[in-house]
Coordinates of all heavy atoms in Angstrom, one line a residue:
N27 N -84.0 -73.2 -13.4 CA -83.2 -73.2 -12.2 C -82.7 -71.8 -11.8 O -82.0 -71.2 -12.5 CB -82.0 -74.1 -12.4 CG -81.1 -74.3 -11.2 OD1 -81.3 -73.6 -10.3 ND2 -80.3 -75.4 -11.3
K28 N -83.2 -71.4 -10.7 CA -82.9 -70.0 -10.2 C -81.5 -69.9 -9.6 O -81.1 -68.8 -9.3 CB -84.0 -69.5 -9.2 CG -85.3 -69.4 -9.8 CD -86.3 -69.0 -8.8 CE -87.7 -68.8 -9.4 NZ -88.7 -68.5 -8.5
E29 N -80.8 -71.0 -9.4 CA -79.5 -71.0 -8.8 C -78.4 -71.1 -9.9 O -77.3 -70.6 -9.7 CB -79.3 -72.2 -7.9 CG -80.2 -72.1 -6.7 CD -79.6 -71.1 -5.7 OE1 -78.5 -71.0 -5.5 OE2 -80.5 -70.3 -5.1
A30 N -78.8 -71.5 -11.1 CA -77.8 -71.7 -12.2 C -77.3 -70.4 -12.7 O -78.0 -69.5 -12.8 CB -78.4 -72.5 -13.3
P31 N -76.0 -70.2 -12.9 CA -75.5 -69.0 -13.3 C -75.9 -68.6 -14.8 O -76.3 -69.5 -15.6 CB -74.0 -69.2 -13.3 CG -73.8 -70.6 -13.5 CD -75.0 -71.3 -12.8
I32 N -75.8 -67.4 -15.1 CA -76.0 -66.8 -16.5 C -74.6 -66.6 -16.9 O -73.8 -65.9 -16.3 CB -76.9 -65.6 -16.5 CG1 -78.3 -66.0 -16.1 CG2 -76.8 -65.0 -18.0 CD1 -79.2 -64.8 -16.1
I33 N -74.2 -67.0 -18.1 CA -72.9 -66.8 -18.7 C -73.1 -66.0 -20.0 O -73.8 -66.4 -20.8 CB -72.2 -68.2 -19.0 CG1 -72.2 -69.0 -17.6 CG2 -70.8 -68.0 -19.6 CD1 -71.8 -70.5 -17.9
G34 N -72.3 -65.0 -20.0 CA -72.3 -64.1 -21.2 C -71.0 -64.0 -21.9 O -70.0 -64.0 -21.2
L35 N -70.9 -64.1 -23.2 CA -69.6 -63.9 -24.0 C -69.8 -62.7 -24.9 O -70.7 -62.7 -25.7 CB -69.4 -65.2 -24.8 CG -69.3 -66.4 -24.0 CD1 -70.0 -67.6 -24.6 CD2 -67.8 -66.8 -23.7
N36 N -69.0 -61.7 -24.7 CA -69.0 -60.6 -25.5 C -67.8 -60.5 -26.4 O -66.6 -60.4 -26.0 CB -69.0 -59.2 -24.6 CG -69.1 -58.0 -25.3 OD1 -70.1 -57.9 -26.1 ND2 -68.3 -57.1 -25.1
F37 N -68.1 -60.5 -27.7 CA -67.0 -60.4 -28.7 C -67.1 -59.1 -29.4 O -68.2 -58.5 -29.7 CB -67.2 -61.5 -29.8 CG -67.1 -62.9 -29.2 CD1 -68.2 -63.7 -28.9 CD2 -65.8 -63.5 -28.8 CE1 -68.1 -64.9 -28.4 CE2 -65.8 -64.8 -28.3 CZ -67.0 -65.5 -28.1
G38 N -65.9 -58.6 -29.8 CA -65.9 -57.3 -30.6 C -65.6 -56.1 -29.8 O -64.7 -56.1 -29.1
S39 N -66.5 -55.2 -29.8 CA -66.3 -53.9 -29.0 C -66.8 -54.0 -27.6 O -67.7 -54.7 -27.2 CB -67.1 -52.8 -29.8 OG -66.5 -52.6 -31.1
T40 N -66.1 -53.1 -26.8 CA -66.6 -53.0 -25.4 C -68.0 -52.4 -25.3 O -68.4 -51.5 -26.1 CB -65.6 -52.1 -24.6 OG1 -64.3 -52.6 -24.7 CG2 -66.0 -51.8 -23.2
C41 N -68.8 -52.8 -24.4 CA -70.2 -52.3 -24.3 C -70.5 -52.1 -22.8 O -69.7 -52.5 -21.9 CB -71.2 -53.3 -24.8 SG -71.3 -54.8 -24.0
R42 N -71.7 -51.4 -22.6 CA -72.2 -51.2 -21.2 C -73.1 -52.3 -20.8 O -73.9 -52.8 -21.5 CB -73.0 -49.9 -21.2 CG -72.1 -48.7 -21.5 CD -72.9 -47.4 -21.6 NE -73.3 -47.1 -20.3 CZ -74.1 -46.0 -20.1 NH1 -74.6 -45.3 -21.1 NH2 -74.4 -45.7 -18.9
F43 N -73.0 -52.7 -19.5 CA -73.9 -53.7 -18.9 C -74.6 -53.0 -17.7 O -74.0 -52.4 -16.8 CB -73.0 -54.9 -18.4 CG -73.9 -55.9 -17.7 CD1 -74.5 -56.9 -18.5 CD2 -73.9 -56.0 -16.3 CE1 -75.3 -57.9 -17.9 CE2 -74.7 -57.0 -15.7 CZ -75.4 -57.9 -16.5
F44 N -75.9 -52.9 -17.8 CA -76.7 -52.3 -16.8 C -77.3 -53.4 -15.9 O -77.6 -54.5 -16.3 CB -77.9 -51.6 -17.5 CG -77.5 -50.5 -18.3 CD1 -77.3 -50.6 -19.7 CD2 -77.4 -49.2 -17.8 CE1 -77.0 -49.6 -20.5 CE2 -77.1 -48.1 -18.6 CZ -76.8 -48.3 -20.0
Y45 N -77.3 -53.0 -14.6 CA -78.0 -53.9 -13.7 C -78.5 -53.2 -12.4 O -78.1 -52.1 -12.2 CB -76.9 -55.0 -13.1 CG -75.8 -54.3 -12.3 CD1 -75.8 -54.2 -11.0 CD2 -74.7 -53.7 -13.0 CE1 -74.8 -53.7 -10.2 CE2 -73.6 -53.1 -12.3 CZ -73.7 -53.1 -10.9 OH -72.7 -52.5 -10.2
E46 N -79.4 -53.8 -11.8 CA -80.1 -53.2 -10.6 C -79.4 -53.8 -9.4 O -79.2 -55.0 -9.1 CB -81.6 -53.7 -10.6 CG -82.4 -53.0 -9.5 CD -83.8 -53.4 -9.5 OE1 -84.1 -54.5 -10.0 OE2 -84.6 -52.6 -9.0
D47 N -78.8 -52.8 -8.5 CA -78.1 -53.3 -7.3 C -79.1 -53.7 -6.2 O -80.3 -53.6 -6.4 CB -77.2 -52.2 -6.8 CG -77.8 -50.9 -6.3 OD1 -79.0 -50.9 -6.0 OD2 -77.0 -50.0 -6.2
E48 N -78.6 -54.0 -5.0 CA -79.4 -54.5 -3.9 C -80.4 -53.4 -3.4 O -81.4 -53.7 -2.8 CB -78.5 -54.9 -2.7 CG -77.5 -56.0 -3.0 CD -76.3 -55.5 -3.7 OE1 -75.9 -54.2 -3.5 OE2 -75.6 -56.2 -4.5
K49 N -80.1 -52.2 -3.7 CA -81.0 -51.1 -3.2 C -82.0 -50.7 -4.3 O -82.8 -49.8 -4.1 CB -80.1 -49.8 -2.9 CG -79.1 -50.0 -1.7 CD -78.3 -48.8 -1.5 CE -77.3 -49.1 -0.4 NZ -76.3 -47.9 -0.3
G50 N -82.0 -51.4 -5.4 CA -83.0 -51.1 -6.5 C -82.5 -50.0 -7.4 O -83.3 -49.6 -8.2
E51 N -81.2 -49.6 -7.3 CA -80.7 -48.5 -8.1 C -80.0 -49.1 -9.4 O -79.3 -50.1 -9.2 CB -79.7 -47.6 -7.4 CG -80.4 -46.9 -6.2 CD -79.4 -46.1 -5.5 OE1 -78.3 -45.7 -6.0 OE2 -79.7 -45.8 -4.2
M52 N -80.3 -48.5 -10.5 CA -79.5 -49.0 -11.7 C -78.1 -48.6 -11.8 O -77.8 -47.4 -11.5 CB -80.3 -48.5 -13.0 CG -81.7 -49.1 -13.1 SD -81.8 -50.9 -13.1 CE -81.0 -51.3 -14.7
R53 N -77.3 -49.4 -12.1 CA -75.8 -49.2 -12.2 C -75.4 -49.7 -13.5 O -76.1 -50.5 -14.3 CB -75.1 -50.0 -11.1 CG -75.5 -49.7 -9.7 CD -74.8 -48.5 -9.2 NE -75.2 -48.4 -7.8 CZ -75.0 -47.2 -7.1 NH1 -74.5 -46.2 -7.8 NH2 -75.4 -47.1 -5.9
D54 N -74.1 -49.4 -13.9 CA -73.5 -49.9 -15.1 C -72.0 -50.1 -15.0 O -71.4 -49.4 -14.3 CB -73.9 -49.1 -16.3 CG -73.3 -47.7 -16.4 OD1 -73.7 -46.8 -15.7 OD2 -72.3 -47.6 -17.2
I55 N -71.5 -51.1 -15.8 CA -70.1 -51.3 -15.8 C -69.8 -51.5 -17.3 O -70.7 -51.8 -18.1 CB -69.7 -52.5 -15.0 CG1 -70.4 -53.8 -15.4 CG2 -69.9 -52.3 -13.5 CD1 -69.9 -55.1 -14.7
R56 N -68.5 -51.6 -17.6 CA -68.1 -51.9 -19.0 C -67.7 -53.4 -19.1 O -67.0 -53.9 -18.2 CB -66.8 -51.0 -19.2 CG -67.1 -49.6 -19.4 CD -65.8 -48.8 -19.7 NE -66.1 -47.4 -19.6 CZ -65.6 -46.5 -20.4 NH1 -64.6 -46.8 -21.2 NH2 -65.9 -45.2 -20.3
I57 N -68.2 -54.0 -20.2 CA -67.8 -55.3 -20.5 C -66.8 -55.2 -21.6 O -67.3 -54.9 -22.8 CB -69.1 -56.2 -20.8 CG1 -70.1 -56.1 -19.7 CG2 -68.6 -57.6 -21.2 CD1 -69.7 -56.9 -18.5
P58 N -65.6 -55.6 -21.5 CA -64.6 -55.5 -22.5 C -64.9 -56.5 -23.7 O -65.6 -57.5 -23.5 CB -63.3 -55.9 -21.9 CG -63.5 -55.7 -20.4 CD -64.9 -56.0 -20.2
G59 N -64.5 -56.1 -24.9 CA -64.6 -57.1 -26.0 C -63.8 -58.2 -25.8 O -62.8 -58.2 -25.1
N60 N -64.3 -59.4 -26.3 CA -63.6 -60.6 -26.2 C -63.4 -61.1 -24.7 O -62.4 -61.4 -24.3 CB -62.3 -60.7 -26.9 CG -62.4 -60.4 -28.4 OD1 -63.5 -60.5 -28.9 ND2 -61.3 -60.0 -29.0
S61 N -64.6 -61.0 -23.9 CA -64.5 -61.3 -22.5 C -65.7 -62.2 -22.2 O -66.7 -62.3 -23.0 CB -64.5 -60.1 -21.7 OG -65.7 -59.3 -21.9
I62 N -65.8 -62.7 -21.0 CA -66.8 -63.5 -20.4 C -67.2 -62.9 -19.1 O -66.4 -62.4 -18.4 CB -66.4 -65.0 -20.3 CG1 -67.5 -65.9 -19.8 CG2 -65.2 -65.1 -19.3 CD1 -67.2 -67.3 -19.9
Y63 N -68.6 -62.9 -18.9 CA -69.1 -62.5 -17.5 C -70.0 -63.5 -17.1 O -70.7 -64.2 -17.8 CB -69.7 -61.1 -17.7 CG -70.8 -61.0 -18.7 CD1 -72.1 -61.1 -18.3 CD2 -70.6 -60.7 -20.0 CE1 -73.2 -61.1 -19.2 CE2 -71.5 -60.5 -20.9 CZ -72.9 -60.8 -20.5 OH -73.9 -60.6 -21.5
I64 N -70.1 -63.7 -15.8 CA -70.9 -64.8 -15.1 C -71.6 -64.1 -13.9 O -70.9 -63.5 -13.1 CB -70.0 -65.9 -14.7 CG1 -69.3 -66.6 -15.9 CG2 -70.9 -67.0 -14.1 CD1 -68.3 -67.6 -15.5
F65 N -72.9 -64.4 -13.8 CA -73.6 -64.1 -12.5 C -74.7 -65.1 -12.3 O -75.2 -65.7 -13.1 CB -74.1 -62.6 -12.5 CG -75.1 -62.3 -13.7 CD1 -76.4 -62.3 -13.5 CD2 -74.5 -62.0 -14.9 CE1 -77.2 -61.9 -14.5 CE2 -75.4 -61.6 -16.0 CZ -76.8 -61.6 -15.7
G66 N -74.9 -65.3 -10.9 CA -75.8 -66.3 -10.5 C -76.5 -66.0 -9.2 O -76.3 -65.0 -8.7
K67 N -77.2 -67.1 -8.7 CA -77.9 -67.0 -7.4 C -78.9 -65.7 -7.5 O -79.6 -65.6 -8.5 CB -77.0 -66.9 -6.2 CG -76.2 -68.2 -6.2 CD -75.5 -68.4 -4.8 CE -74.7 -69.7 -4.9 NZ -74.2 -70.1 -3.6
S68 N -78.9 -64.9 -6.4 CA -79.8 -63.7 -6.5 C -79.5 -62.8 -7.6 O -80.5 -62.1 -8.1 CB -79.8 -63.0 -5.1 OG -78.5 -62.4 -4.9
A69 N -78.3 -62.6 -8.0 CA -77.9 -61.7 -9.1 C -78.6 -62.1 -10.4 O -78.9 -61.3 -11.3 CB -76.4 -61.7 -9.3
R70 N -78.9 -63.4 -10.5 CA -79.5 -64.0 -11.8 C -80.9 -63.3 -11.9 O -81.4 -63.2 -13.1 CB -79.6 -65.5 -11.7 CG -80.1 -66.2 -12.9 CD -80.2 -67.6 -12.6 NE -80.3 -68.4 -13.8 CZ -81.3 -68.6 -14.6 NH1 -82.4 -68.0 -14.3 NH2 -81.2 -69.3 -15.7
L71 N -81.6 -63.0 -10.9 CA -83.0 -62.5 -11.0 C -83.0 -60.9 -11.0 O -84.1 -60.3 -11.2 CB -83.8 -62.9 -9.7 CG -83.7 -64.4 -9.6 CD1 -84.5 -64.8 -8.3 CD2 -84.4 -65.1 -10.8
M72 N -81.9 -60.2 -11.0 CA -81.9 -58.8 -11.0 C -82.2 -58.3 -12.5 O -82.0 -59.1 -13.4 CB -80.6 -58.3 -10.6 CG -79.4 -58.5 -11.7 SD -77.8 -57.9 -11.1 CE -76.8 -58.5 -12.4
R73 N -82.8 -57.1 -12.6 CA -83.0 -56.5 -13.9 C -81.5 -56.3 -14.5 O -80.7 -55.7 -13.8 CB -83.8 -55.2 -13.8 CG -85.2 -55.5 -13.4 CD -86.1 -54.2 -13.5 NE -85.5 -53.2 -12.7 CZ -85.7 -51.9 -12.9 NH1 -86.5 -51.5 -13.9 NH2 -85.2 -51.0 -12.1
H74 N -81.4 -56.6 -15.7 CA -80.1 -56.4 -16.4 C -80.2 -56.4 -17.8 O -81.3 -56.7 -18.4 CB -79.1 -57.5 -16.0 CG -79.6 -58.8 -16.5 ND1 -80.5 -59.7 -15.8 CD2 -79.3 -59.6 -17.5 CE1 -80.7 -60.8 -16.4 NE2 -80.0 -60.8 -17.5
G75 N -79.2 -55.8 -18.5 CA -79.2 -55.8 -20.0 C -77.9 -55.2 -20.5 O -77.1 -54.5 -19.7
L76 N -77.6 -55.3 -21.8 CA -76.5 -54.8 -22.4 C -76.9 -53.5 -23.2 O -78.0 -53.5 -23.8 CB -75.9 -55.8 -23.4 CG -75.2 -57.0 -22.7 CD1 -74.9 -58.1 -23.7 CD2 -74.0 -56.6 -21.9
G77 N -76.1 -52.5 -23.1 CA -76.3 -51.3 -23.7 C -75.4 -50.9 -24.8 O -74.9 -51.7 -25.6
S78 N -75.1 -49.6 -25.0 CA -74.3 -49.1 -26.1 C -72.9 -49.5 -26.1 O -72.4 -49.9 -25.0 CB -74.4 -47.5 -26.1 OG -73.9 -47.1 -24.9
I79 N -72.4 -49.5 -27.3 CA -70.9 -49.8 -27.5 C -70.1 -48.6 -27.0 O -70.4 -47.4 -27.3 CB -70.7 -50.1 -28.9 CG1 -71.4 -51.4 -29.3 CG2 -69.2 -50.2 -29.2 CD1 -71.3 -51.8 -30.7
Y80 N -69.1 -48.9 -26.2 CA -68.1 -47.8 -25.8 C -67.0 -47.5 -26.9 O -66.7 -46.3 -27.1 CB -67.4 -48.2 -24.5 CG -68.2 -47.8 -23.3 CD1 -68.7 -48.7 -22.4 CD2 -68.2 -46.4 -22.9 CE1 -69.3 -48.2 -21.2 CE2 -68.9 -46.0 -21.8 CZ -69.4 -46.9 -20.9 OH -70.0 -46.6 -19.8
T81 N -66.3 -48.6 -27.3 CA -65.2 -48.4 -28.1 C -65.6 -48.4 -29.6 O -66.5 -49.1 -29.9 CB -64.1 -49.4 -27.9 OG1 -64.7 -50.7 -28.0 CG2 -63.6 -49.4 -26.5
K82 N -64.9 -47.7 -30.4 CA -65.2 -47.6 -31.8 C -64.3 -48.6 -32.6 O -64.5 -48.8 -33.7 CB -64.8 -46.2 -32.3 CG -65.6 -45.1 -31.7 CD -67.1 -45.2 -32.0 CE -67.8 -43.9 -31.4 NZ -69.0 -44.2 -30.9
T83 N -63.4 -49.2 -31.9 CA -62.6 -50.3 -32.6 C -62.8 -51.6 -31.9 O -63.2 -51.7 -30.7 CB -61.1 -49.9 -32.5 OG1 -60.8 -49.8 -31.2 CG2 -60.8 -48.6 -33.2
L84 N -62.4 -52.6 -32.6 CA -62.6 -54.0 -32.1 C -61.5 -54.4 -31.2 O -60.4 -53.9 -31.3 CB -62.7 -55.0 -33.2 CG -63.8 -54.8 -34.2 CD1 -63.6 -55.7 -35.5 CD2 -65.2 -55.0 -33.6
S85 N -61.8 -55.4 -30.3 CA -60.7 -56.0 -29.5 C -59.9 -56.9 -30.5 O -60.5 -57.5 -31.4 CB -61.3 -56.8 -28.4 OG -62.0 -55.9 -27.5
P86 N -58.6 -57.0 -30.3 CA -57.7 -57.9 -31.1 C -58.3 -59.3 -31.2 O -58.7 -59.9 -30.2 CB -56.4 -57.8 -30.4 CG -56.4 -56.6 -29.7 CD -57.9 -56.4 -29.2
G87 N -58.3 -59.8 -32.4 CA -58.8 -61.1 -32.7 C -60.3 -61.2 -33.2 O -60.7 -62.2 -33.8
S88 N -60.9 -60.1 -33.1 CA -62.4 -60.0 -33.6 C -62.5 -59.6 -35.1 O -63.5 -59.7 -35.7 CB -63.2 -59.1 -32.8 OG -63.3 -59.5 -31.5
E89 N -61.4 -58.9 -35.6 CA -61.5 -58.4 -37.0 C -61.8 -59.3 -38.1 O -62.1 -59.0 -39.2 CB -60.2 -57.5 -37.3 CG -59.0 -58.3 -37.2 CD -58.3 -58.5 -35.8 OE1 -58.6 -57.7 -34.9 OE2 -57.6 -59.4 -35.6
N90 N -61.6 -60.6 -37.8 CA -61.9 -61.7 -38.9 C -63.4 -61.9 -39.0 O -63.8 -62.4 -40.1 CB -61.2 -62.9 -38.5 CG -59.7 -62.8 -38.7 OD1 -59.2 -62.0 -39.5 ND2 -58.9 -63.6 -37.9
F91 N -64.2 -61.6 -38.1 CA -65.6 -61.9 -38.2 C -66.6 -60.7 -37.8 O -67.8 -60.8 -38.0 CB -66.0 -63.1 -37.4 CG -65.8 -63.0 -35.9 CD1 -66.8 -62.6 -35.1 CD2 -64.6 -63.3 -35.3 CE1 -66.7 -62.5 -33.7 CE2 -64.4 -63.2 -34.0 CZ -65.4 -62.8 -33.1
L92 N -66.0 -59.5 -37.4 CA -66.8 -58.4 -37.1 C -66.1 -57.2 -37.7 O -65.0 -57.1 -37.9 CB -67.0 -58.2 -35.6 CG -67.8 -59.2 -34.8 CD1 -67.6 -59.0 -33.3 CD2 -69.2 -59.2 -35.2
R93 N -67.0 -56.1 -37.9 CA -66.4 -54.8 -38.4 C -66.3 -53.8 -37.2 O -66.9 -54.1 -36.1 CB -67.3 -54.2 -39.5 CG -67.4 -55.1 -40.8 CD -68.2 -54.4 -41.8 NE -69.6 -54.2 -41.4 CZ -70.6 -54.9 -42.0 NH1 -70.4 -55.8 -42.9 NH2 -71.8 -54.7 -41.5
N94 N -65.7 -52.7 -37.4 CA -65.6 -51.8 -36.3 C -67.0 -51.3 -35.9 O -67.9 -51.3 -36.7 CB -64.8 -50.5 -36.8 CG -63.3 -50.6 -36.8 OD1 -62.8 -51.6 -36.1 ND2 -62.6 -49.8 -37.5
K95 N -67.1 -51.0 -34.5 CA -68.3 -50.6 -33.9 C -69.4 -51.8 -33.8 O -70.6 -51.5 -33.6 CB -69.0 -49.4 -34.6 CG -68.1 -48.2 -34.7 CD -68.8 -47.1 -35.4 CE -67.8 -45.9 -35.6 NZ -68.5 -44.8 -36.4
E96 N -69.0 -53.0 -34.0 CA -69.9 -54.0 -33.9 C -69.5 -55.0 -32.7 O -68.4 -54.9 -32.3 CB -69.9 -55.0 -35.2 CG -70.5 -54.3 -36.4 CD -70.6 -55.2 -37.5 OE1 -69.7 -56.2 -37.7 OE2 -71.5 -55.1 -38.4
R97 N -70.5 -55.7 -32.3 CA -70.2 -56.7 -31.2 C -71.2 -57.8 -31.4 O -72.2 -57.6 -31.9 CB -70.2 -56.1 -29.8 CG -71.6 -55.8 -29.4 CD -71.6 -55.2 -27.9 NE -72.9 -55.0 -27.5 CZ -73.7 -55.9 -27.1 NH1 -73.4 -57.2 -27.0 NH2 -75.0 -55.6 -26.8
L98 N -70.8 -59.0 -30.8 CA -71.6 -60.1 -30.8 C -71.7 -60.6 -29.4 O -70.7 -60.7 -28.7 CB -71.0 -61.2 -31.7 CG -71.7 -62.6 -31.7 CD1 -73.1 -62.5 -32.2 CD2 -70.8 -63.6 -32.4
N99 N -72.8 -60.8 -28.8 CA -73.1 -61.3 -27.5 C -73.8 -62.7 -27.5 O -74.9 -62.8 -28.1 CB -73.8 -60.3 -26.6 CG -73.9 -60.7 -25.2 OD1 -72.9 -60.6 -24.4 ND2 -75.0 -61.2 -24.8
L100 N -73.2 -63.6 -26.8 CA -73.9 -64.9 -26.6 C -74.2 -65.1 -25.1 O -73.4 -64.9 -24.3 CB -73.0 -66.1 -27.1 CG -72.5 -66.0 -28.5 CD1 -71.5 -67.2 -28.7 CD2 -73.7 -66.2 -29.4
T101 N -75.5 -65.3 -24.8 CA -75.9 -65.5 -23.4 C -76.4 -66.9 -23.3 O -77.2 -67.5 -24.1 CB -77.1 -64.6 -23.1 OG1 -76.6 -63.3 -23.3 CG2 -77.4 -64.7 -21.6
I102 N -75.9 -67.6 -22.2 CA -76.2 -69.0 -21.9 C -76.9 -69.0 -20.6 O -76.3 -68.5 -19.5 CB -75.0 -69.9 -21.9 CG1 -74.3 -69.8 -23.2 CG2 -75.3 -71.4 -21.5 CD1 -72.8 -70.2 -23.2
R103 N -78.1 -69.6 -20.5 CA -78.8 -69.7 -19.2 C -79.6 -71.0 -19.2 O -80.0 -71.5 -20.3 CB -79.7 -68.5 -19.0 CG -80.8 -68.4 -19.9 CD -81.7 -67.2 -19.6 NE -81.1 -66.0 -20.1 CZ -81.2 -64.8 -19.5 NH1 -81.8 -64.6 -18.4 NH2 -80.6 -63.7 -20.1
Q104 N -79.8 -71.6 -18.0 CA -80.6 -72.7 -17.9 C -82.0 -72.2 -17.6 O -82.3 -71.6 -16.6 CB -80.0 -73.7 -16.8 CG -80.8 -74.9 -16.6 CD -80.3 -75.7 -15.5 OE1 -79.5 -75.3 -14.7 NE2 -80.6 -77.0 -15.5
V105 N -83.0 -72.8 -18.4 CA -84.4 -72.5 -18.1 C -85.1 -73.9 -17.9 O -85.1 -74.7 -18.9 CB -85.1 -71.7 -19.2 CG1 -86.5 -71.5 -19.0 CG2 -84.2 -70.4 -19.4
L106 N -85.8 -74.0 -16.9 CA -86.6 -75.2 -16.6 C -88.0 -74.9 -16.6 O -88.5 -73.9 -16.1 CB -86.1 -75.9 -15.3 CG -84.7 -76.4 -15.2 CD1 -84.4 -76.8 -13.8 CD2 -84.4 -77.5 -16.2
P107 N -88.9 -75.9 -17.0 CA -90.4 -75.6 -17.0 C -90.9 -75.5 -15.6 O -90.4 -76.2 -14.7 CB -91.0 -76.8 -17.8 CG -89.9 -77.9 -17.8 CD -88.6 -77.2 -17.6
G108 N -91.9 -74.8 -15.4 CA -92.6 -74.7 -14.1 C -92.0 -73.6 -13.2 O -92.1 -73.2 -12.3

């Protein structure tokens, strides 16, 4: 489904999120640790990816399952055949 949103959950350290804007230029923003991001419709089809970790320490609450400089990302998307 090309309309369904992509949902990402980033746990641990802050990281960079790269994406292609409407002009075809690559941009990046920071995704904080222990946060959620959502994008859909035409944004779902843009080139995108997660990059390097910004912070050397974990966001509060992550220390029970991650070490410093680590992060865990879960991405949820709907994919239909055809």
Side-chain angles (χ1 to χ4, degrees):
N27 182 345
K28 294 180 181 176
E29 295 285 318
I32 294 174
I33 301 168
L35 301 140
N36 183 52
F37 300 103
S39 297
T40 299
C41 67
R42 295 173 75 183
F43 179 80
F44 294 93
Y45 65 96
E46 183 178 28
D47 68 13
E48 303 82 25
K49 297 177 184 176
E51 297 179 23
M52 292 305 289
R53 305 273 185 202
D54 68 283
I55 59 172
R56 292 179 187 211
I57 303 290
N60 301 341
S61 65
I62 184 171
Y63 56 93
I64 302 171
F65 56 101
K67 299 194 180 191
S68 63
R70 188 182 198 280
L71 303 176
M72 70 182 175
R73 290 188 303 157
H74 62 276
L76 291 168
S78 60
I79 293 173
Y80 268 116
T81 58
K82 303 291 187 219
T83 58
L84 298 173
S85 296
S88 298
E89 57 277 336
N90 291 331
F91 62 96
L92 293 171
R93 293 186 298 250
N94 281 341
K95 303 181 187 178
E96 290 185 332
R97 69 176 186 82
L98 172 67
N99 184 77
L100 301 173
T101 304
I102 303 163
R103 66 180 80 215
Q104 181 181 19
V105 179
L106 298 175

